[in-house]
Amino acid sequence: MSAPLRFDGKVVLVTGAGGGLGREYALAFAERGACVVVNDLGGDIKGGGKSSSAADKVVEEIKAKGGKAVANYDSVEDGEKLVQTALDAFGRIDILINNAGILRDRTFGRTSDLDWDLIHRVHLRGSFLVTRAAWNHMKNQKFGRIIMTSSAAGIYGNFGQGNYSAAKMGLVGLANTLAIEGRKYSIHCNTIAPTAGSRLTQTVMPPDLLESLKAEYVAPLVLWLCHEQCQETGSLFEVGAGWIGKLRWERTPGCIIRRRNQAMTPEAVRQSWDRICDFSSATKPATIQESLSTLVEVLSKVDTEEGVVPNPTSAMASAVSDGNSPLAAVGQKLPEMVFSYSHTQCILYALGVGMSTREPDHLKFLYEGHEDFSCLPTFGVIPAQASMMEGGLGSIPGFNFDLSRLLHGEQYLELYKPLPTSGKLVSQAAIADVLDKGSGAVILLDVHTYSGKDLLCYNQFSLFIVGAGGFGGKRTSDKAKSTMSPPDRAPDAVMTDETTRDQAALYRLSGDWNPLHIDPSFAAMGGFKTPILHGLCSFGFAARHVLKQYANNDVSKFKAIKVRFVKPVLPGQSLQTEMWKEGIRIHIQCKVKETGAVVLSGAYVDLHCAEDSVSPEKPAEAGGLQSDLVFEEIGRRIQTLGAELVKKVNAIFAWEITKGGSAAAQWTIDLKTGTGSLHKGPYSGKADVTMTLSDEDFMDVVLGKLNPQKAFFAGKLKVRGNIMLSQKLETILKDYAKL
Ligand code: NAI
């Protein structure tokens, strides 16, 4: 990261580069290897006249220093011609700095049509035209960097600059949208509001200040934003005097003043004015989705008469009204929740996740009279979810998040016994941890569900609360059940199932009544064309695909599932589950077949034993270590190849394998003595290096998914002794990836 930022091979177009800030950018880019198009109309400050001398002078300056530059004298209103100059001279366009500008300051009442139009034509329309001319070239080459030049006069307003302020804020809006549209082509668009001494500011700034606010204090930000290393996009910066700051929107929690079945009045607005304008618990919405989701929540609150004045129940996220940190919620318990069900709920759930009498092997989940009538394992989320929704996260004392900003991020479910087909279950939920992800907070909610004294299942909900981050908490937690990437190969099995048009309508009857999944107007407010499928419905589809493929629909073989919810699915789309078998772990990825969009990622199902994976003499029963199999195989190889390995490696390696945080096995491979040997349990000799890691991480290293050096730096692998020897691990382990 310390290498100088270079722009060799990049072609930069700077508009209005004949003087002031633009000239500075042009010189700086050229000095760092870029080919520069120096555009300037060469007119006066008010937009009158034209001349080629301004651009020519800067081109000469660049060339005199050995740089590459050409001049262009067109107005930015001829956008295509500017870009054509770049293509003719250098064959491409990578970076565009929209900088050209004029001033026609007037108090508002005296602003003429010409004052308004000229300002808009140069600043807003000019930037539009040049950017549009460059856009498709950037899109085709999948790279582009665009800078818009706004102004503090627009952001804050400035006396006598109505025309200019309006045009300058127009550019901020344009940049916000270009950032979104350009993202998938690596076209980044940012906006700067600079302050520097130039001919534009000489009328409004005292000469001393003008002199000290140098243009060279602005250029470094522009260069960094335009470098390929910089991933910033859609942002607005103030810059000047050697200082750079980033701006964003802040919004008060506001309050709902409408009541169900009542007219909304201006008097009610007056009465709540202080609260509407109270920034003390402000949030920082960053996307239009976040903005709209608030409205969706408002509609549902008004509908249920929740949170309506005078006693709104929810303060907005990020701030904590009672002075507690969100971390104070860690360890808090939700009220215990009782969930009673009969075979009807089990069958309804099975239909909800797409089971059908079309498939003969589905009957055992759909017909209570079937000799093997069973409850689907993923039904285990239903009682747990009820405890969260009805018991209410909102009931946690000092827990002051706005639940309207809550997204279901990830889900883990582990079963200790097959679920009964009817019963009365008790769920106990507690906040396991609260993480600070910057843009939001993640709540890890652990729910244990019991039947009498028997623990039946454990759920971990990862709930993301948009905008609630930044409270100084940690980013990760050892309590979090992590997702896992699938192996880097084609899937071992793929199963596809159609969802029906009524899938969400059916699934919600299992207890998730969010109108987002049924009411078109709610869905529209959330930015969706139609109501979307429940994430936990796709989760149910994926789980039963694995159950069928690798466990012959035997629910007693199902141990656990973890998924991350990535994208919504629309009812009627087909779900495609890709599966990779790695012993008893089945990695899964779920896609919408029609679009190819990944909807569940980092997912896996753990089975107690997989149908076609375990050799009869060595079942990897629950609690058994996957690493045992690998070591035993290594032992067999040493018997045949030991002498050769001793020659190559010449070291003694010891492993301490942990499971669930405690020591589970010890292995030592002696590749120093004789023809090599493998030892299980305590070892009498001295190992050159001892490595401690979990059974799962060991498997990842063996399967080449986790690089030992990276594991070490991530704290997953502890090494005592000669750490350099860990590099030889690959020699020993790489052949075993096929296990
Ligand atoms: P400047 O007047 O030195 O530079 C602007 C350049 O744009 C001039 O060389 C001018 O000939 C050229 N130009 C004007 N109309 C053109 C057109 N139609 N086509 C091509 N070139 C044209 O002014 P300065 O200060 O360097 O301003 C650069 C940009 O920064 C402007 O967009 C300005 O509004 C903005 N800005 C500057 C601030 C400052 O403190 N200097 C404050 C806020 C914004």
Side-chain angles (χ1 to χ4, degrees):
M1 285 303 269
S2 56
L5 296 170
R6 297 284 306 173
F7 292 86
D8 304 290
K10 292 277 184 283
V11 177
V12 185
L13 164 57
V14 185
T15 72
L21 287 164
R23 170 181 167 273
E24 198 63 42
Y25 306 149
L27 291 170
F29 275 116
E31 198 177 306
R32 285 167 183 264
C35 304
V36 182
V37 177
V38 178
N39 156 265
D40 208 292
L41 182 64
D44 66 29
I45 181 174
K46 291 187 168 184
K50 65 183 286 181
S51 121
S52 59
S53 62
D56 283 343
K57 240 180 100 193
V58 176
V59 169
E60 275 159 30
E61 262 184 277
I62 290 173
K63 287 190 170 159
K65 290 183 182 169
K68 295 182 262 306
V70 292
N72 170 285
Y73 320 113
D74 294 303
S75 165
V76 285
E77 292 187 72
D78 291 314
E80 294 283 351
K81 291 189 186 162
L82 274 66
V83 171
Q84 197 56 50
T85 303
L87 300 177
D88 291 347
F90 305 118
R92 54 190 290 132
I93 168 92
D94 300 290
I95 297 169
L96 165 61
I97 316 296
N98 288 298
N99 166 79
I102 54 169
L103 278 182
R104 293 178 74 92
D105 293 356
R106 291 273 189 282
T107 51
F108 184 63
R110 296 179 57 229
T111 304
S112 68
D113 286 4
L114 189 64
D115 293 331
W116 180 267
D117 291 346
L118 271 182
I119 286 291
H120 275 70
R121 274 168 45 193
V122 174
H123 289 277
L124 188 52
R125 192 172 151 76
S127 299
F128 154 65
L129 289 165
V130 185
T131 305
R132 191 180 59 181
W135 188 255
N136 279 342
H137 299 285
M138 292 181 173
K139 215 168 129 177
N140 292 338
Q141 73 202 13
K142 291 207 164 39
F143 178 84
R145 294 286 185 268
I146 299 165
I147 297 290
M148 298 292 178
T149 307
S150 184
S151 165
I155 299 169
Y156 306 106
N158 198 24
F159 191 90
Q161 293 199 304
N163 52 355
Y164 181 75
S165 307
K168 286 303 201 190
M169 277 315 266
L171 288 166
V172 176
L174 176 60
N176 287 341
T177 292
L178 293 188
I180 292 170
E181 290 190 15
R183 205 180 289 267
K184 80 170 186 218
Y185 307 105
S186 291
I187 303 176
H188 297 172
C189 183
N190 291 289
T191 308
I192 61 162
T195 303
S198 75
R199 70 175 197 174
L200 279 193
T201 42
Q202 68 191 1
T203 50
V204 290
M205 283 186 196
D208 285 359
L209 191 58
L210 209 66
E211 184 55 29
S212 43
L213 292 173
K214 294 188 196 313
E216 66 196 61
Y217 301 152
V218 174
L221 169 66
V222 170
L223 266 71
W224 164 239
L225 288 172
C226 292
H227 197 270
E228 56 196 351
Q229 279 174 16
C230 180
Q231 293 310 307
E232 192 77 30
T233 188
S235 300
L236 171 62
F237 299 89
E238 280 185 85
V239 49
W243 164 87
I244 301 165
K246 180 169 167 175
L247 286 90
R248 66 181 172 189
W249 291 99
E250 204 178 34
R251 185 171 70 177
T252 69
C255 64
I256 306 172
I257 55 169
R258 185 168 69 88
R259 281 171 165 271
R260 189 153 65 149
N261 303 329
Q262 284 181 20
M264 183 170 162
T265 65
E267 289 76 18
V269 178
R270 176 179 60 190
Q271 199 192 341
S272 301
W273 194 244
D274 286 350
R275 287 236 314 282
I276 292 171
C277 301
D278 179 4
F279 273 97
S280 54
S281 303
T283 57
K284 295 157 185 84
T287 64
I288 196 161
Q289 284 77 16
E290 275 181 57
S291 162
L292 281 173
S293 71
T294 306
L295 303 187
V296 172
E297 182 63 16
V298 167
L299 290 178
S300 102
K301 279 185 177 160
V302 171
D303 219 36
T304 53
E305 285 282 291
E306 270 176 45
V308 181
V309 283
N311 282 315
T313 52
S314 62
M316 286 282 177
S318 95
V320 188
S321 67
D322 53 10
N324 285 333
S325 150
L327 296 170
V330 175
Q332 301 262 20
K333 292 191 167 76
L334 271 64
E336 211 169 73
M337 183 77 197
V338 179
F339 177 84
S340 295
Y341 67 109
S342 70
H343 61 262
T344 313
Q345 278 79 16
C346 301
I347 296 170
L348 198 56
Y349 176 81
L351 291 168
V353 299
M355 298 216 109
S356 158
T357 52
R358 266 199 322 264
E359 306 285 333
D361 63 332
H362 287 184
L363 208 58
K364 66 186 274 195
F365 299 103
L366 297 174
Y367 173 39
E368 72 286 2
H370 192 282
E371 55 177 353
D372 255 345
F373 180 55
S374 306
C375 180
L376 275 172
T378 46
F379 183 76
V381 298
I382 302 293
Q385 194 182 28
S387 89
M388 182 177 78
M389 286 182 160
E390 290 162 40
L393 276 172
S395 65
I396 299 278
F399 201 61
N400 194 23
F401 292 116
D402 173 9
L403 301 181
S404 72
R405 296 165 176 279
L406 190 144
L407 302 173
H408 194 172
E410 294 176 14
Q411 183 72 27
Y412 178 78
L413 164 69
E414 183 164 349
L415 297 172
Y416 302 104
K417 294 190 163 153
L419 297 169
T421 52
S422 65
K424 187 168 155 190
L425 308 183
V426 176
S427 292
Q428 294 173 350
I431 311 282
D433 221 338
V434 180
L435 309 180
D436 187 348
K437 297 283 186 188
S439 61
V442 171
I443 300 172
L444 297 178
L445 182 74
D446 280 353
V447 188
H448 290 89
T449 300
Y450 296 84
S451 168
K453 286 207 172 103
D454 285 348
L455 177 59
L456 277 189
C457 62
Y458 157 67
N459 276 274
Q460 185 175 75
F461 295 81
S462 303
L463 306 168
F464 189 81
I465 301 185
V466 178
F471 54 84
K474 55 189 178 175
R475 283 189 75 83
T476 54
S477 167
D478 52 6
K479 304 218 176 78
K481 295 285 177 185
S482 346
T483 50
M484 302 272 291
S485 303
D488 190 13
R489 62 167 192 263
D492 303 328
V494 179
M495 210 177 267
T496 308
D497 239 325
E498 283 168 11
T499 66
T500 72
R501 180 72 175 77
D502 292 318
Q503 205 70 56
L506 194 55
Y507 182 83
R508 65 194 294 273
L509 303 181
S510 288
D512 186 337
W513 304 102
N514 187 339
L516 181 64
H517 306 293
I518 185 85
D519 184 334
S521 54
F522 261 80
M525 293 299 289
F528 301 108
K529 283 197 196 105
T530 65
I532 59 171
L533 203 60
H534 303 71
L536 282 176
C537 178
S538 312
F539 166 92
F541 268 78
R544 66 173 181 73
H545 286 159
V546 176
L547 193 68
K548 179 167 179 153
Q549 178 76 26
Y550 290 111
N552 196 24
N553 281 330
D554 178 351
V555 295
S556 70
K557 290 189 174 144
F558 193 97
K559 183 174 175 219
I561 175 166
K562 169 79 191 182
V563 309
R564 173 178 292 157
F565 302 105
V566 189
K567 278 206 168 129
V569 178
L570 302 180
Q573 289 182 320
S574 302
L575 282 171
Q576 192 166 55
T577 307
E578 299 173 337
M579 299 172 250
W580 292 259
K581 187 164 75 59
E582 297 282 316
I584 53 167
R585 174 158 288 175
I586 315 297
H587 293 268
I588 48 181
Q589 173 165 271
C590 205
K591 290 178 173 166
V592 167
K593 189 179 173 212
E594 290 78 3
T595 62
V598 173
V599 292
L600 302 179
S601 74
Y604 61 83
V605 169
D606 281 343
L607 299 171
H608 289 304
C609 61
E611 270 296 294
D612 57 347
S613 67
V614 185
S615 56
E617 71 279 7
K618 198 158 283 302
E621 74 281 358
L625 297 177
Q626 300 182 63
S627 52
D628 285 357
L629 297 173
V630 176
F631 281 112
E632 283 160 19
E633 179 61 19
I634 291 176
R636 282 191 284 277
R637 300 267 173 112
I638 289 175
Q639 280 172 11
T640 48
L641 297 171
E644 197 184 312
L645 283 171
V646 166
K647 235 199 270 158
K648 239 193 224 167
V649 178
N650 192 33
I652 302 176
F653 296 86
W655 274 271
E656 290 171 0
I657 304 293
T658 62
K659 178 95 186 168
S662 33
Q666 260 177 292
W667 293 92
T668 307
I669 298 179
D670 181 347
L671 293 175
K672 207 174 196 173
T673 325
T675 54
S677 54
L678 171 80
H679 308 263
K680 185 168 187 180
Y683 178 65
S684 51
K686 188 175 172 336
D688 294 302
V689 57
T690 303
M691 286 157 283
T692 308
L693 79 173
S694 73
D695 190 40
E696 292 81 9
D697 290 337
F698 177 86
M699 289 310 290
D700 284 350
V701 170
V702 170
L703 296 168
K705 283 190 286 191
L706 184 62
N707 168 301
Q709 278 79 40
K710 277 198 191 140
F712 175 74
F713 287 115
K716 292 179 169 180
L717 168 66
K718 298 198 176 56
V719 183
R720 297 198 305 276
N722 184 350
I723 188 168
M724 295 312 288
L725 285 173
S726 64
Q727 287 179 2
K728 292 195 175 176
L729 274 178
E730 274 170 59
T731 325
I732 311 173
L733 297 177
K734 71 169 186 266
D735 290 345
Y736 302 90
K738 287 163 236 87
L739 282 176

